[in-house]
Amino acid sequence: GAGVSQSPSNKVTEKGKDVELRCDPISGHTALYWYRQRLGQGLEFLIYFQGNSAPDKSGLPSDRFSAERTGESVSTLTIQRTQQEDSAVYLCASSLGERGGVGETQYFGPGTRLLVL
Amino acid sequence: AQKVTQAQTEISVVEKEDVTLDCVYETRDTTYYLFWYKQPPSGELVFLIRRNSFDEQNEISGRYSWNFQKSTSSFNFTITASQVVDSAVYFCALLTGANSKLTFGKGITLSVRP
């Protein structure tokens, strides 16, 4: 596609429920990133995928968070047993991945606004 | 560890004024990359510029200009003759040579009043 797309754009859930957030990177981009933006804050890195390499999960805040990627395309971020502090905008980005993503410009999607009641 | 500081939190100007957004970064890496992104009310982050640590040449693009100074670890962004459409949150971000995780500042909310 022309840009990074994410779905849903908004998600309201009840505390304790599981949610899945989807990201479609720019066609041809092999590197994919997830970030979280809490209200009034900058973005926090969550996880990074590059080709077939093991993902860098160093930013995931707890074991309730996980992510998968199918080949070099769609990625799903799953949050289990959601808590109110998980309320945030979840942003996905992609880059070419020619050098493992190092130094590359990351292009962001519109984000998914998650509200946990 | 990497750190990006955007000391200004909110700036309000009247249309046609010039405005400079400050960014100070910290890293021990000699190879790194600096970025500015714009986040309008719609929420999507829009890429504005990328600079690597070996290129201190400042750049002008239309009404935008960037001043990169390694001596002061700063990468400031100036909008000349601001317009209402420039109203957004502006983020400065750092990427070091060793990894692919962007480190963001907390952002500066720019309001341009007609």
Side-chain angles (χ1 to χ4, degrees), chain A residues 72-106:
Chain A
E72 293 184 345
S73 58
V74 172
S75 175
T76 301
L77 177 69
T78 301
I79 308 173
Q80 295 178 310
R81 305 180 303 281
T82 52
Q83 302 294 313
Q84 289 181 333
E85 63 262 28
D86 299 333
S87 296
V89 177
Y90 290 83
L91 289 147
C92 176
S94 70
S95 69
L96 279 171
E98 290 178 337
R99 296 172 295 165
V102 175
E104 295 180 339
T105 298
Q106 297 177 21

Side-chain angles (χ1 to χ4, degrees), chain A residues 31-111:
Chain A
L32 186 147
Y33 315 79
W34 283 98
Y35 292 84
R36 178 172 70 176
Q37 184 178 23
R38 288 175 164 158
L39 187 64
Q41 300 294 313
L43 280 73
E44 307 168 77
F45 167 80
L46 296 177
I47 188 169
Y48 157 59
F49 294 91
Q50 170 58 57
N52 295 319
S53 301
D56 177 350
K57 305 179 182 181
S58 60
L60 293 179
S62 77
D63 59 7
R64 295 186 296 104
F65 288 71
S66 63
E68 292 185 349
R69 188 177 186 193
T70 307
E72 293 184 345
S73 58
V74 172
S75 175
T76 301
L77 177 69
T78 301
I79 308 173
Q80 295 178 310
R81 305 180 303 281
T82 52
Q83 302 294 313
Q84 289 181 333
E85 63 262 28
D86 299 333
S87 296
V89 177
Y90 290 83
L91 289 147
C92 176
S94 70
S95 69
L96 279 171
E98 290 178 337
R99 296 172 295 165
V102 175
E104 295 180 339
T105 298
Q106 297 177 21
Y107 296 92
F108 285 80

Side-chain angles (χ1 to χ4, degrees), chain B residues 3-35:
Chain B
K3 186 177 180 182
V4 175
T5 301
Q6 296 182 261
Q8 304 152 310
T9 53
E10 295 185 17
I11 299 176
S12 182
V13 300
V14 177
E15 206 169 19
K16 298 184 182 177
E17 285 186 22
D18 299 348
V19 58
T20 295
L21 311 181
D22 298 334
C23 174
V24 173
Y25 61 92
E26 294 177 30
T27 180
R28 293 184 178 180
D29 286 30
T30 56
T31 300
Y32 53 88
Y33 307 84
L34 294 162
F35 300 81

Side-chain angles (χ1 to χ4, degrees), chain B residues 82-95:
Chain B
S82 59
Q83 300 176 1
V84 173
V85 293
D86 296 328
S87 297
V89 181
Y90 290 83
F91 290 97
C92 181
L94 169 68
L95 195 59

